[in-house]
Amino acid sequence: MALSSPGLGSNLDVNSIVSQLMSLEQRPLTVLAQKEAGFQAKISALGSLQGVISALQSAAASLVPASGTTPSEKFSVAKAAAGDPTIASVSTSSTAVAGTYQLEVNQLARPHSVVTATGTATPFSGVGDTLPVGGTLTLSLDSPGGTSPHTTTDITIADGATPEQIRDAINGAGAGVSALVINGTAGKQLILTSGTAGSNQFIKLSGVAGLTYDPDATPQPLTDPLVQTQAAQGSSFKLNGIAVAGLSNTITTAVDGLAINLLKGPEAPATAISTTLTISKDNASLSAGVNALVKAFNDFQATASSLGSYDAASKKAGALNGETTLRTAQNAFRTVLGNPPSPLAGATLQHLSEIGVTMQKSGKLSVDAARMSSAIADDLGAVAELVAAYGSAFKAAADGLVGAGGLIAARSEGLSTSIKGLGKQSETISARLTQIEARYRKQFTSLDLLISGMTKTSTFLQQQLASLPNFNQGS
C-alpha cells in the first residue's frame, strides 16, 4: 500500500484526520457566522422600515402649516390666469378673492437713462478723452423731486479715468444702474440706465464735477455734462374701469392678494390694450396632500406586514418577525388613527373617516374622493384643521421612530454593536483553533512516526527470524 504522507511509513492519513477533527472544532465559528448573518438581515430590514416611515414623515409634514400660517391659509390656494399671457402675468396669495377682472394697460413703466454730452459739454476733455478730475461719485435712485433716495452708492473715480474705467467702476459697485460706453461719430459716450423700470428710478449723480446730474436742480446749469435720453416713468392701467398707477410694472397693492406683472403696453396710435384676469379657488392641494399621506401609510403597512410575516407552511419568517421595534412602529401609527389629536378637541371634525378616509380589513387606508370633495366644499376650514392636526400627529410619531435618536436608529446601533462583539469572539476562537490544529498535527505526526518505527522493527525481526535454519520448517 502506498504511503499517504511522504516520508512516513505508517500509512496513517494525518491530513484527513486533522481536517475532520477541525471541522468539528469549527462549529462555534459557524454558529457565530449564522448569528451575524441574522443581525445583518435585521439591520437591512430596519433600513427598509426606516425608508417607508421617512416617506410617511415627509407626507405628514407637508400637511402642517408653517409657523404663523393657519390651516385654512395653507390650503386656501387661489389660481390666477391672464386671458392673454403676453400682456400680463398674475399670481395670488391665500387672501385673493375669486372673480374676473378686466385689465386695461395704458402705459408700461420705463427705466431712466442718461448719456454724457458731446462737444464742449463732454466730461471727457482730458488728455486722450479722459475725465480730468475724479473723486467720490455719489449715485442715487429717487423719485422726481424726491429728497430720500431709496438707493445711494459712493463710487471712487480716479483722476484721468477713461470712459471704460468709469463704466467698470459703476457696474462693479452694485448701484442698481448699468453703464455702457458707445464709441460714436461724436466720440465716446457713457450711457447710464437704471436697472429697474419705474417712476422712482431717477438717476442722480453728484460729487464729481464732470459727472453731475440732478434733474431737480434749480437753476439748471447752462451746459449739463449728462442729458436725459429716456425719462423714468411708472405704469398706468385700469382694473374693472378704475385707474391705477404703479411705481413699476409689478403691482401688489391694487387688489388684496393679487400680484400683477405688466408685460406689454399699447403701441401708437393705440392708447390701451386689454385682457382678462381670472381668479379661482383651488382646493387640489388639500386632497392631494391627504392622498399622499394615505399612500405613504399604506406603503408602510405593506412593508411592515412583509417584514413581520410568518409562513406556517414553509416555516419561513420575515426579517423582523417578533421584533419589538416593528410592533412599536405599528402601534404608534394605529394610535394616531384611533385617537383624535388634542388640537381637535371641540372641533367640528375629529376623525379622518368624516372626510372619507377609512381603514380597511387589510389594515390599509382608502379614500372616498367624492365624500372628501363634499366635505371640502361644505367647510374647507374644518377639513383643513382636521388634516393639519393629523399631519402633525403622524409627523410626531414618525419623528420618534426615524429621528437621529429615534427607536430604529437605536436598535440598528445595538445590532451593530452585537456584530462587533461576534467579530471579537470569532477572532478569539480562530486563534484558539490555530493552536488546536497545531497540537493535533504534532500529536498525530508523532503517532505516525511511532507506528512507522514499530513497522520497521517488525519487518526487521521477520527478516532475521526467516534466516534461522528451522524457522521455515515449523515446530
Side-chain angles (χ1 to χ4, degrees):
M1 180 182 292
L3 293 175
S4 61
S5 298
L8 301 178
S10 68
N11 287 331
L12 188 65
D13 192 347
V14 175
N15 287 335
S16 177
I17 294 172
V18 172
S19 176
Q20 293 179 52
L21 288 172
M22 290 307 300
S23 67
L24 295 175
E25 296 284 356
Q26 288 174 349
R27 285 182 179 177
L29 280 180
T30 303
V31 173
L32 290 178
Q34 291 173 342
K35 285 184 177 181
E36 180 177 347
F39 289 160
Q40 292 286 8
K42 284 190 176 184
I43 290 176
S44 177
L46 287 170
S48 298
L49 183 65
Q50 178 163 338
V52 292
I53 294 177
S54 294
L56 178 55
Q57 179 188 42
S58 297
S62 70
L63 301 177
V64 181
S67 177
T69 303
T70 67
S72 293
E73 289 172 342
K74 174 177 176 58
F75 294 112
S76 296
V77 181
K79 292 192 301 184
D84 185 342
T86 66
I87 295 177
S89 64
V90 59
S91 59
T92 63
S93 68
S94 60
T95 58
V97 177
T100 300
Y101 301 84
Q102 187 67 29
L103 173 66
E104 179 185 294
V105 182
N106 305 111
Q107 173 182 288
L108 288 181
R110 293 180 180 274
H112 192 207
S113 183
V114 295
V115 61
T116 54
T118 59
T120 58
T122 180
F124 305 116
S125 58
V127 178
D129 297 327
T130 59
L131 183 71
V133 180
T136 300
L137 175 66
T138 299
L139 189 157
S140 63
L141 295 171
D142 203 350
S143 301
T147 56
S148 300
H150 59 81
T151 298
T152 299
T153 307
D154 288 337
I155 306 167
T156 301
I157 305 296
D159 295 344
T162 65
E164 289 81 4
Q165 289 172 333
I166 298 172
R167 171 200 64 195
D168 294 343
I170 293 174
N171 288 338
V177 171
S178 63
L180 175 69
V181 173
I182 296 180
N183 190 8
T185 57
K188 293 181 179 180
Q189 291 180 268
L190 178 67
I191 302 174
L192 304 180
T193 304
S194 60
T196 304
S199 58
N200 63 344
Q201 298 297 311
F202 275 88
I203 299 171
K204 295 183 180 182
L205 303 168
S206 62
V208 175
L211 295 176
T212 58
Y213 181 77
D214 185 355
D216 300 323
T218 303
Q220 289 289 339
L222 295 178
T223 58
D224 203 326
L226 285 98
V227 294
Q228 177 175 278
T229 57
Q230 178 174 281
Q233 68 179 32
S235 60
S236 63
F237 59 96
K238 292 181 179 179
L239 270 180
N240 291 352
I242 298 176
V244 181
L247 289 176
S248 66
N249 287 319
T250 299
I251 302 93
T252 59
T253 56
V255 178
D256 189 25
L258 204 63
I260 303 171
N261 185 30
L262 303 179
L263 303 174
K264 184 169 68 176
E267 295 182 5
T271 58
I273 55 175
S274 301
T275 188
T276 57
L277 306 178
T278 303
I279 314 301
S280 59
K281 288 294 183 180
D282 179 16
N283 299 321
S285 64
L286 179 52
S287 57
V290 172
N291 279 292
L293 179 69
V294 168
K295 180 183 183 303
F297 177 83
N298 289 343
D299 289 345
F300 161 77
Q301 279 291 89
T303 299
S305 178
S306 175
L307 294 175
S309 65
Y310 180 77
D311 187 338
S314 63
K315 295 183 179 180
K316 290 184 178 180
L320 297 182
N321 178 265
E323 265 285 327
T324 302
T325 304
L326 176 62
R327 291 196 300 271
T328 300
Q330 291 172 309
N331 290 336
F333 295 127
R334 289 194 190 107
T335 299
V336 171
L337 288 170
N339 300 281
S342 56
L344 296 177
T348 304
L349 301 176
Q350 297 192 356
H351 298 275
L352 288 174
S353 59
E354 295 176 87
I355 62 170
V357 180
T358 55
M359 179 73 73
Q360 305 301 297
K361 290 181 179 179
S362 63
K364 294 185 177 182
L365 296 175
S366 67
V367 180
D368 185 333
R371 186 172 180 183
M372 182 179 294
S373 296
S374 177
I376 292 173
D378 289 343
D379 194 340
L380 172 64
V383 175
E385 184 179 355
L386 175 80
V387 170
Y390 273 95
S392 295
F394 268 109
K395 181 180 181 301
D399 289 346
L401 295 167
V402 298
L407 182 62
I408 292 179
R411 178 57 175 148
S412 296
E413 184 177 349
L415 290 170
S416 296
T417 301
S418 297
I419 290 174
K420 290 179 181 178
L422 292 177
K424 291 180 179 179
Q425 291 182 50
S426 296
E427 291 175 359
T428 301
I429 293 175
S430 295
R432 183 171 60 83
L433 290 178
T434 299
Q435 296 174 351
I436 291 174
E437 182 176 1
R439 186 174 72 249
Y440 279 154
R441 287 191 178 279
K442 182 178 180 180
Q443 290 173 343
F444 282 100
T445 298
S446 297
L447 177 62
D448 188 35
L449 291 172
L450 177 62
I451 293 173
S452 177
M454 293 175 65
T455 299
K456 288 180 180 179
T457 301
S458 175
T459 301
F460 174 76
L461 291 174
Q462 287 180 0
Q463 291 174 346
Q464 294 299 315
L465 289 172
S467 64
L468 296 176
N470 298 324
F471 181 75
N472 292 323
Q473 298 176 2
S475 54

